[in-house]
Amino acid sequence: MHLKIKTKTLLPIYLSTFFIMLSNSMMALALPWMVLQTTDSVLTTGTVGSIALSAVFLGSAFSRILIARIGANALIAFAFAFNLVGIGGVIYCFSQEMLFLPLLVVFVVTYCLLDAAANTAMESRFPEIARYSKASLSEINAVKEGLFNGSLILGSASAGLLLATIDPLFVFGIAGLMTVFALISFLPLTGLYKRGSAQQDTLSVLSSTRWLWSQPHLRSFLILLMMFMVSVASLDDVLLPAFIHQTTGNPADIGFILASYSVTGIMSALFYAKYHETLPEIWIVRAGVVGIAIFFLGLVLFTSPVFLIINTCVTGLLSGPFWPTISARFMKDTPKSMRLGMLTAISTLSIGIAPVVVIIHAWVIKVSSIKILCLGTVILILTTLFLKTEKTNYDA
């Protein structure tokens, strides 16, 4: 009976996560590549990416209010609808003889606007789902991370190959189909996310941020999260498209590089899911930081896709459990009454800096080089090794 309840509860979460991440990973590769190829401008590509991230930030900033006003269920449903409308609009824009950037931006904003808010709505019920299914939060987060990496393998690799071989519009169409599959997979969960099921009385984003900052242990994880976003914010939108554009010119190589991270990332994330209780948290975090630094160092040292793929496999092996560890720690050390505010706060803070980072990275590449940008990123991310991440005595 327990296995049946666990499967019935968790399988829809895992399937909907897999399909929506598959759709997002295809769009994340195809959209900037098509903008770069159409405009031949790194700055234009970065600007579109920055606007998209700004839309994600805006939705994240209002996610707590949206969940309270319309409920998690409705918000998630609206997010699916916005995704489909946005993808349809992107297909329309690139099917025209001349790309009209303002209209493309409108549809990109539509596509991105509710992404982070819907993710916050979904994660807000994870502790209750964990108790109901008798699965640990660490297990759910780790499996979710493994599925994220699995979808990244398929999405990135297939999008790259399709862009190199067939009409790019089909890539966007397949991404839209994956969104439909994600919506169908989520339908059995609607009862768990019905209006009023999530905690409605919660602190504001500002108050939640102040509380997070007041907790030394969680403050370190908050800094880690933000430094991670500063490092990888432009990866899909600017850095890898520009790198491949300057080297091989083959978009399939972007897919292979991202997919190579996912192969070993899945392995290490699932290993963490099984043995998380015996693995020291501080060394999991430090290994993840080193893995991220190794990836960016590889972009400095190598131009061959083969060596980059090998290097990225090492990154995935070291960094696969990085995000599940951080996510589980925030969930475990935050009281239920503050959970929604906490999720909104970390989403808003991490996403809020991304649009600025994308523009800065595009500017650095234009006036200097990709190598200088990557060397600076290596130095920045390694400074987080000095943060203290030991557990406190706080008990949520």
Side-chain angles (χ1 to χ4, degrees):
M1 178 63 71
H2 167 248
L3 181 61
K4 185 177 180 180
I5 293 175
K6 186 173 182 179
T7 302
K8 184 179 179 181
T9 306
L10 297 183
L11 186 60
I13 289 178
Y14 294 154
L15 285 176
S16 60
T17 296
F18 177 78
F19 284 124
I20 198 63
M21 293 300 182
L22 182 59
S23 174
N24 288 345
S25 63
M26 295 182 75
M27 291 294 293
L29 191 153
L31 183 59
W33 180 259
M34 286 296 293
V35 174
L36 182 60
Q37 294 302 301
T38 304
T39 65
D40 198 29
S41 170
V42 174
L43 275 179
T44 300
T45 304
T47 301
V48 173
S50 180
I51 292 172
L53 290 170
S54 297
V56 176
F57 166 73
L58 184 65
S60 175
F62 286 94
S63 59
R64 187 180 68 92
I65 297 173
L66 289 171
I67 293 170
R69 293 287 178 85
I70 67 174
N73 229 1
L75 179 58
I76 294 170
F78 276 123
F80 280 123
F82 275 43
N83 274 355
L84 290 172
V85 171
I87 291 173
V90 168
I91 292 173
Y92 171 79
C93 289
F94 282 111
S95 66
Q96 304 306 300
E97 292 184 4
M98 182 176 294
L99 178 63
F100 185 51
L101 275 173
L103 184 60
L104 177 67
V105 166
V106 169
F107 285 119
V108 169
V109 168
T110 302
Y111 171 76
C112 296
L113 188 60
L114 294 182
D115 268 4
N119 190 56
T120 298
M122 183 172 285
E123 289 187 356
S124 68
R125 292 286 290 164
F126 274 13
E128 285 78 16
I129 289 173
R131 286 195 292 271
Y132 179 71
S133 63
K134 300 191 185 304
S136 70
L137 265 177
S138 296
E139 177 186 346
I140 292 175
N141 282 318
V143 173
K144 186 171 178 275
E145 180 72 6
L147 288 169
F148 172 85
N149 289 325
S151 64
L152 191 60
I153 292 175
L154 291 177
S156 301
S158 60
L161 286 172
L162 289 171
L163 285 171
T165 56
I166 65 173
D167 189 334
L169 297 183
F170 283 105
V171 181
F172 298 122
I174 295 171
L177 183 61
M178 294 303 103
T179 300
V180 173
F181 288 163
L183 173 59
I184 294 171
S185 300
F186 177 78
L187 291 178
L189 293 173
T190 52
L192 293 173
Y193 287 90
K194 65 181 182 295
R195 185 177 179 85
S197 62
Q199 179 71 30
Q200 299 298 325
D201 268 341
T202 186
L203 294 178
S204 67
V205 172
L206 181 60
S207 298
S208 298
T209 303
R210 287 174 177 169
W211 182 83
L212 286 170
W213 194 259
S214 71
Q215 308 294 313
H217 174 53
L218 294 183
R219 183 194 308 151
S220 295
F221 279 98
L222 190 61
I223 295 171
L224 263 172
L225 179 63
M226 295 186 70
M227 290 300 101
F228 172 76
M229 287 303 299
V230 167
S231 300
V232 305
S234 77
L235 195 63
D236 295 336
D237 297 296
V238 172
L239 183 55
L240 280 181
F243 180 85
I244 295 301
H245 185 65
Q246 292 180 11
T247 53
T248 67
N250 184 358
D253 291 333
I254 303 176
F256 291 139
I257 291 170
L258 293 174
S260 63
Y261 166 83
S262 303
V263 171
T264 51
I266 289 174
M267 294 165 52
S268 57
L270 294 179
F271 181 83
Y272 169 77
K274 185 174 180 62
Y275 298 105
H276 64 274
E277 293 181 354
T278 61
L279 296 172
E281 185 178 78
I282 187 171
W283 290 110
I284 292 293
V285 172
R286 288 176 176 173
V289 169
V290 171
I292 296 166
I294 286 174
F295 172 79
F296 286 97
L297 189 60
L299 294 178
V300 175
L301 299 176
F302 309 118
T303 56
S304 167
V306 174
F307 289 114
L308 282 172
I309 287 171
I310 295 172
N311 183 75
T312 310
C313 282
V314 176
T315 296
L317 191 63
L318 293 173
S319 302
F322 183 74
W323 175 246
T325 303
I326 293 177
S327 181
R329 181 49 48 200
F330 276 122
M331 281 287 193
K332 289 177 180 177
D333 283 9
T334 302
K336 181 180 179 181
S337 61
M338 299 180 64
R339 187 192 308 152
L340 186 56
M342 175 274 295
L343 287 169
T344 305
I346 62 174
S347 176
T348 301
L349 288 171
S350 59
I351 295 171
I353 60 175
V356 178
V357 170
V358 169
I359 289 293
I360 292 174
H361 285 192
W363 179 80
V364 171
I365 292 172
K366 181 176 178 63
V367 302
S368 183
S369 68
I370 292 175
K371 288 186 177 182
I372 293 297
L373 174 62
C374 291
L375 281 174
T377 302
V378 169
I379 295 170
L380 177 67
I381 196 67
L382 287 179
T383 60
T384 61
L385 289 174
F386 299 99
L387 290 172
K388 293 182 179 180
T389 57
E390 291 85 357
K391 292 182 180 179
T392 63
N393 292 324
Y394 176 77
D395 186 2

